Structure formats: C-alpha cells, structure tokens
Amino acid sequence: MKPGQIIKFLISAGITLLLLWFVLKGINLDKLWENIKEANYFWVLLAGFMALVAHWSRAYRWKLMLQPMGYDPSAFRSTLAVLIGYLTNLLLPRAGELARSASLKDLEKVPFEKSFGAVVAERIIDLLVLALLIMLNLALEFDRLKGFFIELLGEKLSNPVLLLSVLAGGLLLAILCVRWIKKNDEKLSQNNLYNKAKSLFLGLWEGFTSIRNLKKPRAFIAHTLLIWTMYYLMTWFLCFSMPQTAGLGPLAGLTMLVMGTIGMAAPTVGGIGSYHFLVGKIVELYGLNAQDGITLATFMHTMQGILFVVLFGLTALLISFFIRRKGQSS
C-alpha cells in the first residue's frame, strides 16, 4: 500500500470507529446478540440468493456496456470480477472499482481503462436511480422523513448560494483547463507522461460514452431494474428474520434501501457505522425503539455488507485463481 492509501484507510477507519461507538452507545449488546442468534435464517438464505442475482445482473449490464467497444467478456467471468471488486471495497474503500476492472483484464484481456470507464458510467446510472428512489421515497413518506432530513442536512443546505458559487467556479476552472490543454496539445505530446495520461483519459471516455452505443438498450434497462429490485427485496425480506421487525411494510423497506445505500456510499470501511446510524435511526420512524433499530441495522449490514460479500468474494477469488493458473499452463 502506498502512503496516501494508508492515510486514507486510517481516516476512514477512524470515522468508522467513531460512528460505531456513537450508534452502539446505550445499546444492550447482549440482547442484540441474542436477537441475532434467534433470527429466522430462511430469510437470510433467500436474501443471499437475491444478492447473487443482483451481482450477476450487474456483471451482465457491465458486459452490455463493453460490447460497443468490441469486447464481449463472459457473464460468468464478469461476475467473478464484480464479486472480487466488492470484496476489495470491504477492505479498501473506493478501491473495489479498480480491482474489478483489473480482475476483468486478467480474466478476459479487456483493457483496464475501457472497462473502468464503463464502471464510471454504470455508477452514474446507479446514482441517477438512487436520486429517483430518494424522490419517490420523499413523495410517499414525506411526513415521516422531513424532520429527519432537516436535522441531518440542515446545516449543509443553509447557504445554497455559496454551494452553487463553488460548483460554478469549479466548472469554470475545469473548462479553462480543458481549453488550455487542447491549445497546447502538440507541445504537451512531447512528454511521455502526458501521452500516457491522455491515452488513459481517452480510454475512460470511450468506456463512459459506450452507453450511447448500446446494442441492447432494452436489456440494459431491464438489468438496471432487476439489480435495484433485488436490492429492495433483499433489504425488506431481511426484516422478516426477527419478530420485532417482521411487521415493517414495503414502504419501510424502500426507506431502508435508500438510507442503507447512502450509508454504504459514505467514506467508512464497508459502510460500517454510517449504515448502522442511518438505518437504525430511520426505522425508529416506523415505531421501533433504538435497541430494535440498531439490532436490525446490525443484522442487515452483517448479512448484506459483510457475510455475503466475504463468502461470494472469496469464492470468486479462488475460482479466478484457478482460471488464471489454467490459462498460464495451457
């Protein structure tokens, strides 16, 4: 690990531990553990199957994005790369996408920068889907959620003029930089480092814009819907595992999906702490007490965010090892 990566990991670990201490403060850990041990693990197995379907669907959608660039990796090997990426994210936040593209390069010889560009495009699509889900969630559960969001985001949104000014300034600076680089491209091309950076950028851009040239746009939309449907059902069905939370309805499942996704995207190790805080707090709006809320959040994160990721990721790592070994020997 490079010094910069170590510093990022330590900061992330520090935020994780601080949040975890905050959410577990005042929680009866013995009771939490007893409730988790007594859970109905039929629902866990069902959720695990749904997680696997979602990962396969994500890999297939990635494959669809690579086809316009002339690459058609197998869905199976693409799924292995996706699972390895999730496992890496658990250990090194934000490094999973890099590991995913690196794994596909080893398994299917797809250039790293092109597959990574497709991953970037994919993440933007998922961000748009999440934004739509947030709006839907607010429309359906506004009365429950308005106080929570004001309390959580009030300070950050208190000065929108300043925020818009910073964004506009950053955009203007980016435009000026691009214009300067274009104007001096011939001169800069004499530098090997610039040429490597340019090649990387062009590969990323090709991967990012591949979505415009999809051969099967309907399949792309169908897999996007399938991914998020599996995420939703997996989240809601895990509530049925414990009697204290079995009565939570489909709207509660939607709210937990939205808040859990935001929690997993936070700069913490594997979403630990941030997921517990957001999901644990939000389910209190549906009549649960703090103890049951944190118990549910801990159970769901342990199953979705750790157990499934480790189990599937290590299996994928082992299979990919044998595939590489077989390829080297042939």
Side-chain angles (χ1 to χ4, degrees), residues 19 77 87 112 124 147 168 226 243 295 299:
L19 276 173
R77 294 191 180 192
L87 181 63
F112 173 87
I124 292 173
L226 179 60
T295 298
F299 179 74

Side-chain angles (χ1 to χ4, degrees), residues 185 189 193-203:
D185 180 67
S189 295
L193 185 61
Y194 171 78
N195 289 329
K196 288 181 181 178
K198 182 179 177 180
S199 176
L200 177 62
F201 173 78
L202 291 174

Side-chain angles (χ1 to χ4, degrees), residues 174-185 188 194:
I175 291 171
L176 290 173
C177 287
V178 170
R179 289 186 65 182
W180 182 84
I181 290 171
K182 282 185 175 180
K183 187 177 179 181
N184 296 276
D185 180 67
L188 291 169
Y194 171 78

Side-chain angles (χ1 to χ4, degrees), residues 16 20 62 68 76 99 113 116-117 146 148 157 163 189 228 303 321:
T16 298
L20 203 55
W62 190 24
F76 176 69
E113 64 274 8
F116 185 69
K146 63 181 179 181
F148 176 81
L157 300 177
L163 180 61
S189 295
W228 284 93
M303 296 301 117
F321 170 77

Side-chain angles (χ1 to χ4, degrees), residues 185-260:
D185 180 67
E186 188 175 341
K187 185 178 178 181
L188 291 169
S189 295
Q190 298 172 11
N191 186 293
N192 287 332
L193 185 61
Y194 171 78
N195 289 329
K196 288 181 181 178
K198 182 179 177 180
S199 176
L200 177 62
F201 173 78
L202 291 174
L204 289 172
W205 182 251
E206 185 181 353
F208 177 71
T209 56
S210 65
I211 193 169
R212 297 182 306 179
N213 305 312
L214 288 171
K215 295 179 179 179
K216 300 176 181 177
R218 291 182 181 177
F220 181 87
I221 295 169
H223 278 282
T224 299
L225 293 174
L226 179 60
I227 290 165
W228 284 93
T229 299
M230 290 296 102
Y231 285 167
Y232 167 69
L233 293 176
M234 176 172 58
T235 300
W236 184 33
F237 284 3
L238 280 174
C239 297
F240 302 155
S241 300
M242 292 181 283
Q244 302 94 319
T245 59
L248 291 172
L251 288 179
L254 175 62
T255 305
M256 284 185 287
L257 170 65
V258 168
M259 302 308 295

Side-chain angles (χ1 to χ4, degrees), residues 40-55:
N40 183 341
Y41 281 85
F42 163 78
W43 296 105
V44 174
L45 291 174
L46 185 58
F49 172 74
M50 290 175 174
L52 199 55
V53 171
H55 297 326

